[in-house]
Amino acid sequence: MANIADIKKELEKVIYPGFTKSIVEFGFLKNVEVNGDAVSILVEITSSVQEVEHEIRTNIKKVLENIGITNLDLQVKKPESPKQTSNSVSGKNIAPQIKNFVMVSSGKGGVGKSTTTVNLAVAAAMQGKRVGILDADIYGPNIPRMFGLQGKEVEVIGNKAKPFHAYGVDVMSMGSLMEEGQALIWRGAMIMKAIQQLLRDILWEELDILFIDMPPGTGDAQLTLAQSVPVTCGVNVTTPQHVALDDSRRSLDMFQKLHIPVGGIVENMSGFICPTCNTESDIFGMGTCEALAKEYGTTVLGNLPIEPAIREGGDNGKPIVYFHPESISAKRYMKAAETLIEFIDNVSEKAENASIQPTTPPGVSACSTAK
């Protein structure tokens, strides 16, 4: 009959879902008792998600059966599931286990929104936050490539998809759920349903921050997200050209209309850093976002230059903030994340979306005219 030491050694093979460490390494194994052929085990986990408990129970039973233990009393203690507050008080929240939602948006495409999302998220994780990324850019989901996750098959637990985990960040993308290169020709109602499913049907654990990479513009996806969860703050990504700033105003105006605090503006392609001489040149403009930030009562989180290592990191699935922390861009991303985290901490408890909930009955168009 196996003794306590044998049991603990086997339990070192039970990896905590979403991580690379075992329940023993995390200190979640609280007690093991052996009484004849009966074994009692107490495990205490930090997640309230039912699927996490189910996976741990299944794997514990599996490894112990390998050493002949079948008479098992297994107790798994976990926190109570978060309860959604009444909509009459704070609005709607279909993912209550996530503490803060950050909407990363842009008025137009091609300004580096996904690159910004990835590096801000990794930088926040490197600063000790439990972080996730939801790639909700339905028409251009680039996040899998930027994390080196192209071609990876999504694992389904129960009826939910399990996020990938890379560089300290939980990641799920529409690009991982559809055939590569497939064009999506969807109407607004389909986009709205997809956004809600990506929040509800993904096995998100308790996160400090979920960064949501939105499609460009100010359409159905943005409104659906804001009505589905209380967005803590929005981040606008732009470039220094005045044409891009005109589009940014629309994005910032959207935040105001949806009552979402603006966490800041990221000015991308702000100067160019020569890879040979390491000097910074102003080729597309620089610092033009300062006046825009002042106009909307926010701040510029960072002026990110054009640096070849950023592009290389995005193409190769190696974020610059993680693989080249000594670079100018990585240091600016780290500072931007630090500033954003401070802002989130200040406004987190005030996040709500009650005022933007639909007011028409189910099945009735908001455009209908009452008799």
Side-chain angles (χ1 to χ4, degrees):
M1 180 64 189
N3 56 32
I4 291 177
D6 296 329
I7 293 170
K8 287 184 176 180
K9 187 173 182 180
E10 285 300 307
L11 293 177
E12 289 176 359
K13 300 175 184 177
V14 178
I15 303 300
Y16 189 75
F19 290 83
T20 58
K21 292 184 179 180
S22 72
I23 58 173
V24 176
E25 291 176 283
F26 273 123
F28 295 157
L29 179 62
K30 299 302 181 182
N31 190 44
V32 178
E33 294 181 6
V34 177
N35 185 9
D37 67 342
V39 175
S40 298
I41 293 175
L42 172 62
V43 175
E44 187 171 349
I45 60 177
T46 57
S47 173
S48 62
V49 178
Q50 181 64 38
E51 287 84 355
V52 173
E53 178 188 350
H54 175 75
E55 185 173 342
I56 289 173
R57 283 184 176 276
T58 300
N59 291 338
I60 287 176
K61 290 176 182 177
K62 188 181 298 184
V63 299
L64 293 186
E65 284 174 359
N66 293 337
I67 56 174
I69 295 174
T70 56
N71 187 3
L72 175 63
D73 175 24
L74 173 58
Q75 296 183 53
V76 178
K77 293 180 65 177
K78 64 179 183 178
E80 288 187 17
S81 298
K83 295 180 176 59
Q84 181 178 318
T85 308
S86 168
N87 287 354
S88 62
V89 178
S90 64
K92 186 177 182 181
N93 187 357
I94 63 175
Q97 73 275 28
I98 298 170
K99 188 175 181 182
N100 296 291
F101 302 87
V102 175
M103 182 191 292
V104 185
S105 191
S106 65
K108 61 183 292 184
V111 296
K113 175 174 51 63
S114 296
T115 301
T116 298
T117 304
V118 167
N119 283 286
L120 282 179
V122 174
M126 291 170 71
Q127 294 177 43
K129 295 295 182 181
R130 186 82 172 88
V131 179
I133 286 182
L134 170 56
D135 183 5
D137 191 346
I138 305 295
Y139 300 118
N142 302 126
I143 297 295
R145 177 176 295 280
M146 294 181 175
F147 273 100
L149 298 171
Q150 328 92 284
K152 299 280 186 181
E153 192 168 328
V154 175
E155 181 181 354
V156 177
I157 300 175
N159 60 349
K160 293 192 177 184
K162 180 180 176 181
F164 299 106
H165 192 77
Y167 312 127
V169 179
D170 287 351
V171 183
M172 182 50 67
S173 169
M174 193 68 191
S176 299
L177 300 171
M178 54 190 265
E179 187 178 340
E180 190 171 351
Q182 178 184 352
L184 291 182
I185 306 172
W186 283 0
R187 293 186 183 275
M190 296 176 71
I191 296 172
M192 293 159 68
K193 185 177 180 181
I195 295 292
Q196 291 177 331
Q197 285 188 299
L198 286 169
L199 288 164
R200 183 187 287 119
D201 295 341
I202 304 300
L203 191 57
W204 301 110
E205 290 196 21
E206 287 90 349
L207 298 176
D208 295 316
I209 307 170
L210 179 65
F211 288 88
I212 306 173
D213 184 17
M214 301 301 299
T218 57
D220 290 318
Q222 286 76 8
L223 178 58
T224 299
L225 174 68
Q227 290 179 335
S228 300
V229 296
V231 179
T232 309
C233 69
V235 172
N236 175 252
V237 182
T238 186
T239 56
Q241 299 98 319
H242 287 286
V243 173
L245 297 184
D246 290 341
D247 292 317
S248 288
R249 282 186 171 84
R250 285 186 278 273
S251 180
L252 292 164
D253 183 62
M254 174 195 69
F255 288 148
Q256 290 186 341
K257 283 183 167 62
L258 297 177
H259 308 294
I260 297 173
V262 183
I265 299 172
V266 173
E267 184 179 273
N268 255 339
M269 307 179 198
S270 180
F272 167 72
I273 296 181
C274 175
T276 55
C277 63
N278 209 36
T279 57
E280 190 167 356
S281 304
D282 177 6
I283 58 175
F284 287 148
M286 186 186 299
T288 58
C289 289
E290 296 294 341
L292 181 66
K294 187 176 180 180
E295 180 182 343
Y296 284 88
T298 187
T299 185
V300 176
L301 292 173
N303 303 87
L304 277 300
I306 298 172
E307 188 170 6
I310 297 179
R311 193 272 305 162
E312 292 165 3
D315 286 348
N316 299 325
K318 297 181 177 181
I320 189 173
V321 74
Y322 189 92
F323 284 90
H324 300 284
E326 76 293 342
S327 67
I328 293 174
S329 295
K331 290 175 182 177
R332 292 184 187 180
Y333 277 126
M334 288 293 284
K335 180 61 180 175
E338 182 183 337
T339 303
L340 181 61
I341 289 169
E342 184 178 349
F343 181 86
I344 290 170
D345 289 342
N346 289 333
V347 302
S348 179
E349 299 302 321
K350 303 173 186 176
E352 62 89 28
N353 58 8
S355 58
I356 60 169
Q357 293 303 311
T359 56
T360 54
V364 178
S365 170
C367 299
S368 299
T369 304
K371 291 184 180 179

